[in-house]
Amino acid sequence: MKLNINSKGLNGTIKVPGDKSISHRSIIFGSIAHGQTIVHDILRSDDVLSTIGVFKDLGVSIEDDGQTIKVEGKGFEGLKKPSNDLDMGNSGTSIRLISGVLAGSDFEVKMFGDSSLSKRPMDRVTLPLSQMGVDIHGQSEKAYPPLTEIGSKNLQPIEYKLPVASAQVKSALIFAALQARGTSTIIEKKITRNHTEDMIVQFGGKIDVDGKTIKVEGGQKLHGQEITVPGDISSAAFFLVAGLTVPNSKIVLENVGINPTRTGIIDVIEAMNGKIEVINNEGDANLSATIKVETSDLVATEISGDIIPRLIDELPIIALLATQAKGKTVIKDAAELKVKETNRIDAVAKELTKLGADIEPTEDGMIITGPTKLKGNANLESYHDHRIGMMGAVAALLVENGTVELEGADAIPVSYPQFFDHLEKLEDK
């Protein structure tokens, strides 16, 4: 598709769509809890719809009237052997977390996804689950999908030190640990997003978190809840960067989730002297805020260490932000980017270089020198990766002349179905 270029300014207010991580987990927890769970403001993206479809295949009643979603949970024991293979689409969250959910079920399932998901290694989940007594395997030693899994009714607790900083792996093991015979201990490499831990408590369960050490007792019974999903800061990130970099812009983003394990991008924007204001919504149990940004004179910074898990999904668009900052921005300790929907280090560097950016990929990140005026007459690729696609669309707004085409824009609805509608709304002002 042809992208808009040389924006004269983005102005207005948009409400960010629901948080993808919390949306996935609201369906999962509703399905494994006892009783009805009602979910408001869920993200109806392709990824979340994959999770909904899988639990329907597992025998869970899920109704969506367009306003709210009602899940009739019957506990882990209420999950039934599906009559078909489970389609995870493009969703790494779905396949990894559901692998943990099914660890205590004694029927066989086969889980598959699209071509992109089939290139993502699942051994980081299959190895610890195997240690708990689950028969789970994929293709090659890396356990690429499709996966075949047979759980165990005699699931053993585990003490496991995560070799990677991954909320998906941590969550998969937590779901398995809830079904084990005893107490499991999971030790994180670095603290990652804690939505699963928070929602166990919200659904009436118990979990002990002490820094990077998490203890989960098996045999717990969860109870259905009413959930309002806050907006997704990972989706908001694209408009935060657009507002900061496109000339003559002032953007207000409503209902943005500000869980502290997810707000690394705000810290980076502040470090780069971006004009940003965060106004907390008082009394909001799920931590949301209104965020205002405007065009700024940016300076380079270093992004590394413990902040990386707090902004791992935002790094592609942060790389674009860095192209407009004065000086050399260094991103490191982010090798995890290589095993996302695509190798995001290489993809970001390649696509932004097409627009004239000064960006050098490294083994665990990027070195970006700016500010750089971006140029057009480029054909960008999404690599079937929603975040690379949206990064390209925002980058095009900074191009002064020429044309910019994006191949694979159909990947964007995986996380942000209204992205182009919201972009058009802001440009119409």
Side-chain angles (χ1 to χ4, degrees):
M1 69 176 293
K2 187 174 182 179
L3 297 175
N4 293 340
I5 67 165
N6 194 19
S7 176
K8 303 304 181 183
L10 300 173
N11 290 276
T13 300
I14 58 175
K15 183 179 179 181
V16 177
D19 185 284
K20 186 156 72 82
S21 295
I22 296 175
S23 295
H24 278 298
R25 287 162 175 79
S26 69
I27 298 300
I28 294 173
F29 274 99
S31 297
I32 62 176
H34 291 262
Q36 187 179 80
T37 290
I38 299 175
V39 187
H40 305 278
D41 295 338
I42 198 169
L43 173 67
R44 291 172 175 81
S45 70
D46 292 351
D47 273 9
V48 176
L49 294 177
S50 292
T51 292
I52 290 173
V54 166
F55 279 100
K56 285 183 175 180
D57 288 343
L58 291 167
V60 179
S61 173
I62 302 175
E63 296 182 0
D64 183 356
D65 64 7
Q67 299 296 318
T68 61
I69 288 184
K70 295 179 180 179
V71 185
E72 302 293 341
K74 297 180 181 179
F76 285 105
E77 66 275 17
L79 301 177
K80 305 297 183 184
K81 178 178 173 61
S83 58
N84 52 274
D85 296 343
L86 300 177
D87 185 357
M88 306 292 173
N90 184 247
S91 180
T93 300
S94 299
I95 194 167
R96 289 190 174 118
L97 270 61
I98 292 171
S99 294
V101 169
L102 295 175
S105 301
D106 58 1
F107 49 76
E108 180 176 326
V109 296
K110 186 174 183 179
M111 297 172 280
F112 71 99
D114 66 8
S115 60
S116 174
L117 188 67
S118 299
K119 297 174 183 176
R120 299 181 69 178
M122 296 297 150
D123 56 331
R124 56 184 57 182
V125 171
T126 61
L127 289 173
L129 289 179
S130 296
Q131 293 176 27
M132 299 179 75
V134 181
D135 180 1
I136 182 169
H137 56 273
Q139 314 306 305
S140 85
E141 291 183 0
K142 289 291 187 179
Y144 296 108
L147 300 180
T148 300
E149 178 175 8
I150 305 174
S152 171
K153 291 294 185 181
N154 189 31
L155 205 60
Q156 299 303 302
I158 191 173
E159 181 168 332
Y160 191 73
K161 188 172 183 179
L162 291 172
V164 295
S166 170
Q168 292 181 0
V169 179
K170 172 182 68 175
S171 296
L173 297 184
I174 288 173
F175 284 123
L178 286 170
Q179 305 168 77
R181 296 177 179 271
T183 300
S184 294
T185 301
I186 301 160
I187 303 168
E188 294 200 81
K189 185 173 183 178
K190 294 178 182 177
I191 293 174
T192 60
R193 61 187 65 176
N194 64 351
H195 303 306
T196 302
E197 296 95 306
D198 284 350
M199 292 181 78
I200 284 178
V201 176
Q202 185 178 0
F203 277 75
K206 293 180 180 179
I207 187 168
D208 180 17
V209 180
D210 184 7
K212 298 176 184 177
T213 301
I214 301 165
K215 293 183 181 292
V216 184
E217 184 179 343
Q220 296 190 50
K221 183 177 181 179
L222 305 176
H223 302 279
Q225 299 293 313
E226 187 163 0
I227 299 171
T228 299
V229 180
D232 197 326
I233 195 167
S234 295
S235 296
F238 297 93
F239 289 106
L240 293 176
V241 169
L244 292 163
T245 57
V246 174
N248 307 310
S249 295
K250 288 185 179 180
I251 299 177
V252 178
L253 302 173
E254 297 179 333
N255 188 43
V256 182
I258 53 167
N259 180 302
T261 63
R262 298 282 302 280
T263 52
I265 187 172
I266 294 175
D267 296 346
V268 166
I269 289 170
E270 291 174 344
M272 297 177 80
N273 288 345
K275 296 177 181 178
I276 184 168
E277 182 181 4
V278 180
I279 305 166
N280 290 12
N281 296 331
E282 294 183 7
D284 182 356
N286 282 311
L287 301 176
S288 67
T290 295
I291 303 180
K292 301 179 180 180
V293 291
E294 59 181 284
T295 309
S296 304
D297 292 323
L298 302 165
V299 297
T301 190
E302 180 175 312
I303 306 166
S304 61
D306 289 344
I307 198 173
I308 293 295
R310 297 176 55 224
L311 47 63
I312 190 70
D313 286 336
E314 291 75 69
L315 283 174
I317 194 64
I318 288 173
L320 174 62
L321 182 68
T323 69
Q324 304 306 301
K326 184 178 180 179
K328 185 174 291 186
T329 294
V330 178
I331 300 171
K332 58 185 181 180
D333 302 324
E336 182 70 11
L337 287 174
K338 294 181 176 180
V339 291
K340 291 291 185 177
E341 282 81 341
T342 187
N343 181 331
R344 286 180 175 166
I345 292 176
D346 290 349
V348 168
K350 183 177 180 180
E351 299 313 299
L352 292 183
T353 297
K354 290 178 181 178
L355 299 173
D358 184 347
I359 177 169
E360 176 189 347
T362 65
E363 278 300 307
D364 65 348
M366 294 166 253
I367 300 171
I368 306 152
T369 304
T372 305
K373 291 184 178 180
L374 302 186
K375 57 187 179 182
N377 297 323
N379 293 320
L380 303 181
E381 297 180 39
S382 75
Y383 303 86
H384 306 291
D385 185 330
H386 50 123
R387 301 199 196 280
I388 301 298
M390 286 185 280
M391 179 201 71
V394 175
L397 301 174
L398 303 173
V399 168
E400 294 186 342
N401 52 62
T403 60
V404 179
E405 300 272 349
L406 175 63
E407 182 179 339
D410 55 350
I412 290 173
V414 160
S415 65
Y416 201 154
Q418 313 98 318
F419 175 75
F420 286 109
D421 291 338
H422 284 176
L423 187 57
E424 182 179 0
K425 177 183 177 182
L426 294 172
E427 287 197 297
D428 282 344
K429 296 294 182 182

